[in-house]
DNA sequence: TGTACATCAGTGAACGCGCGTTCACTGATGTAC
DNA sequence: TGTACATCAGTGAACGCGCGTTCACTGATGTAC
């Protein structure tokens, strides 16, 4: 065996990282392998040293992207008292910065529709990642009579991704900003416990 | 001029109708012109008698699809007393039937992400359609202190599309059903005024 | 420690395919007489 | 009313291009001696 095992693993990781970014930016079908490999500093020919197919890469990129988001949320939680966490997630997620940088942002608004049309492997990867996201958000969700934290977490995730999706699709900048602002207000009203 | 003017217009309309369906099913980049024309009972060569480019068709299909949804909502409203309208929209939208038939369903969960990456024309078409959807939902939205009906309408739309998007992307049928059910419960709780 | 060899991550040309678009042609039907 | 012509919606072959995938090759580095 030549090159250390570590070397190959790190290269593979770089491909997944950069592909996660490229796929979120351009969509699951909107960018080619040659471009994704170039983003990782490689040429397209080497792709099949690391993956069996394009679909395998997409599935890995989805997992990677969702893990990234989960980790960033957990990081954020560690800096913030429990009762402020939900508010913090909402405020971080519903920003112009997030709207304008899908490549660095959450997988849900960027790729959910593509994943819905994808193969079983991608959709399985998504379901696993989503369970994790639900679990993390549930920690921060307000407890109320008549609904579990898990139920609330699902509602929060859906609303977060819906708001960013709509804001991104509008050509009209004013409307897009309004969607972000209205969405943020509504979410604060519904999901942040007064204190 | 041969064939009546009406004939050409009806053919064009048929292409837009069927393309709206095909594009929602397979994504804005997931289906070719030849297939879309075949859905309308034509061959691909005739396409440029009706449209300047593929992008023009996509923009028209987006408008058509959003109009369809708006009209179906207005139809529904006419059968139902005002205080039940919001609940009816929620219950109609968040069904397994809607989740499992993107081709017949709402443009938002099917195409919003693709539109966000599309050209200015498609995004303009989307913004126009979205304004209409907001206006219609606003009619049915509960009025509350501290938030306009328009603001509430935006929140409702985002949450509806988010829930269906997440439910569609999960390979795990159980999780998908749970998302629909939790989403429906949460929306009823937040947006349906008790009476 | 130094040298010859083996390994395999990565390169770049080539492939077959489907795509959006173009174009010469067809043939059904409206119009002019 | 009947006939010859003009129109143009629609056909299907052809185009150039980019894609995912394959493959013969390279050359940097680990290993054996």
């Amino acid at each position: 065996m030549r090159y250390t095992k570590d070397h190959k693993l790190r290269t593979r990781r770089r491909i997944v990282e950069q592909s996660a970014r490229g796929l979120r930016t351009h969509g699951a079908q909107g960018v080619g392998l040659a471009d994704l490999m170039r983003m990782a500093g490689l040429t397209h020919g080497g792709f099949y040293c690391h993956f069996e197919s394009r679909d395998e890469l997409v599935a890995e990129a989805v997992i990677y992207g969702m893990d990234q988001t989960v980790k960033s949320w957990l990081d954020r939680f560690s800096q913030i008292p429990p009762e402020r966490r939900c508010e913090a997630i909402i405020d971080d997620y519903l920003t112009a910065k997030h709207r304008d940088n899908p490549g660095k942002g959450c997988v849900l608004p960027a790729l959910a529709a593509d994943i819905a049309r994808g193969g079983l492997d991608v959709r399985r990867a998504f379901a696993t990642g989503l369970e994790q996201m639900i679990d993390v958000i549930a920690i921060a969700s307000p407890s109320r009579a008549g609904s579990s934290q898990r139920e609330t977490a699902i509602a929060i995730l859906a609303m977060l991704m819906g708001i960013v999706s709509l804001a991104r699709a509008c050509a009209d900048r004013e409307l897009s900003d309004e969607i972000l602002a209205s969405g943020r207000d509504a979410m604060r009203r519904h999901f942040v416990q007064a204190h």
Side-chain angles (χ1 to χ4, degrees), chain A residues 6 11-12 14 38 40-41 51 57 66 84 90 96 100-101 109 111 116 132 140 150-151 161 168 172 192:
Chain A
D6 189 55
T11 303
R12 186 191 159 96
R14 213 171 60 239
R38 200 174 302 127
F51 304 94
L57 172 63
M66 294 175 94
R84 289 257 172 97
I90 292 168
D100 299 335
N101 295 280
L111 294 176
Q132 289 172 29
R150 180 177 168 88
E151 207 174 284
M161 78 143 286
R168 280 184 184 157
D172 182 339
V192 176

Side-chain angles (χ1 to χ4, degrees), chain A residues 78-89:
Chain A
S78 70
Q79 310 158 353
I80 284 181
E83 71 277 10
R84 289 257 172 97
R85 286 174 182 169
C86 194
E87 190 177 4
I89 296 301

Side-chain angles (χ1 to χ4, degrees), chain A residues 50-123:
Chain A
H50 298 278
F51 304 94
E52 286 228 325
S53 67
R54 190 180 191 282
D55 283 347
E56 189 187 329
L57 172 63
V58 174
E60 291 228 19
V62 165
I63 293 177
Y64 178 84
M66 294 175 94
D67 277 354
Q68 254 187 323
T69 299
V70 164
K71 275 176 194 156
S72 78
W73 284 344
L74 288 174
D75 268 8
R76 200 86 170 81
F77 286 179
S78 70
Q79 310 158 353
I80 284 181
E83 71 277 10
R84 289 257 172 97
R85 286 174 182 169
C86 194
E87 190 177 4
I89 296 301
I90 292 168
D91 287 351
D92 288 354
Y93 202 101
L94 301 179
T95 58
K97 194 176 168 190
H98 188 197
R99 177 194 61 195
D100 299 335
N101 295 280
K104 299 180 198 162
C106 178
V107 167
L108 304 187
L111 294 176
D114 286 335
I115 292 164
R117 297 181 196 104
L120 193 56
D121 288 344
V122 198
R123 281 161 51 236

